[in-house]
């Protein structure tokens, strides 16, 4: 059992990575293997709507991470896509990649549990979260939820580590995802455990 966690930030070890690492740690504690894939900060093409992917089963462009990401997602049992919030949406380069990854996949991600994670300094998290969830809900991917909308706050990894409620949201997501994947693969599993809820009201 393996979950692919996509870090859609140009920062390899920034806030989004910190949030995804908390999900990954919890997945591992629950017996699920993880891989964090960084989309990097190289130029990414947008979809040119050429339609060649319908015949190829992959994007016609091979000069960025789209096709590598598509095959990693195909072989994973679950997917978490993380992004920093940029102007109340996900990172534009990440969306450009995901447009091509999903459009060229021919429905290959159906029934694979998925979740979005966002990281913001202050605001715009739910709009960015909604945008990422749109990729899953048009692809028959069951969405794994948590105790809150999956976001952390911070401008640096150190600040994210102070967002105790955000980190708990990540751990709950990890437990729920492990439970859903196991239940799908081997029949109904005992419900995941629960931590006592942390509510921080953004006070650190
Ligand atoms: C171009 C740009 C736009 C941003 N827009 C927002 C925003 O709308 N709301 C917000 O709270 N933070 C915004 N931020 C801050 C980042 O979302 C925040 O620092 C995030 O946690 C960085 O994650 P990372 O370290 O993984 O890149 C923006 C940052 C950049 C570079």
């Amino acid at each position: 059992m393996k979950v692919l966690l996509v870090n859609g930030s140009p920062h390899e070890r920034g806030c989004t990575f910190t949030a995804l690492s908390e999900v990954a740690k919890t997945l591992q504690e629950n017996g699920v293997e993880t891989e964090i894939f960084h989309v990097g900060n190289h130029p990414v093409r947008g979809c040119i709507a050429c339609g060649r992917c319908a015949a190829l089963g992959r994007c016609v462009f091979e000069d960025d991470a789209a096709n590598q990401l598509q095959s990693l997602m195909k072989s994973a049992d679950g997917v978490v896509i993380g992004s920093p919030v940029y102007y109340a949406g996900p990172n534009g380069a990440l969306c450009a990649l995901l447009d091509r990854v999903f459009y060229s996949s021919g429905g290959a991600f159906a029934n694979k549990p998925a979740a979005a994670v966002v990281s913001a300094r202050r605001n715009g998290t739910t709009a960015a979260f909604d945008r990422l969830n749109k990729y899953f809900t048009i692809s028959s991917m069951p969405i794994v939820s948590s105790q809150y909308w999956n976001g952390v706050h911070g401008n640096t990894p150190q600040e994210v580590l102070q967002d105790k409620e955000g980190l708990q949201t990540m751990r709950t997501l990890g437990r729920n995802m492990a439970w859903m994947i196991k239940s799908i693969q081997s029949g109904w599993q005992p419900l995941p455990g629960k931590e006592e809820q942390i509510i921080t009201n953004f006070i650190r």
Side-chain angles (χ1 to χ4, degrees):
M1 270 173 290
K2 184 167 178 180
V3 168
L4 180 75
L5 300 102
V6 180
N7 176 8
S9 165
H11 302 129
E12 189 169 10
R13 292 184 167 260
C15 302
T16 308
F17 172 83
T18 307
L20 291 176
S21 298
E22 195 73 4
V23 183
K25 189 179 71 163
T26 312
L27 282 163
Q28 287 160 22
E29 285 166 2
N30 285 272
V32 178
E33 223 183 301
T34 62
E35 176 180 350
I36 297 185
F37 177 79
H38 182 220
V39 298
N41 47 22
H42 296 295
V44 169
R45 289 178 183 270
C47 179
I48 61 164
C50 66
R52 291 282 305 283
C53 55
L56 293 172
R58 54 201 280 120
C59 182
V60 70
F61 295 123
E62 297 283 358
D63 55 359
D64 61 28
N67 287 330
Q68 187 191 0
L69 181 54
Q70 197 220 61
S71 21
L72 286 171
M73 281 174 57
K74 275 183 181 165
S75 59
D77 298 294
V79 177
V80 179
I81 297 183
S83 178
V85 173
Y86 286 177
Y87 294 94
N91 174 8
L94 174 67
C95 288
L97 268 183
L98 293 177
D99 287 354
R100 290 163 47 225
V101 167
F102 277 83
Y103 204 72
S104 65
S105 72
F109 307 138
N111 308 312
K112 215 183 273 294
V117 161
V118 293
S119 165
R121 187 186 72 79
R122 191 159 185 85
N123 216 328
T125 48
T126 61
F129 180 67
D130 289 347
R131 172 72 176 82
L132 289 175
N133 279 320
K134 295 290 196 297
Y135 289 105
F136 311 139
T137 47
I138 201 171
S139 308
S140 294
M141 299 173 83
I143 291 191
V144 183
S145 61
S146 183
Q147 66 191 60
Y148 207 92
W149 302 304
N150 311 333
V152 294
H153 285 96
N155 214 27
T156 63
Q158 293 70 30
E159 285 176 357
V160 170
L161 292 173
Q162 293 174 64
D163 180 5
K164 300 294 179 202
E165 186 174 352
L167 291 178
Q168 186 177 60
T169 303
M170 297 302 123
R171 293 194 296 276
T172 302
L173 175 62
R175 270 195 300 276
N176 289 350
M177 179 163 265
W179 171 75
M180 195 190 280
I181 291 173
K182 287 178 190 169
S183 293
I184 287 171
Q185 295 196 356
S186 51
W188 187 260
Q189 296 291 305
L191 292 172
K194 217 175 159 192
E195 296 177 20
E196 193 176 328
Q197 191 173 8
I198 300 171
I199 297 178
T200 59
N201 300 343
F202 306 105
I203 297 165
R204 294 175 175 143

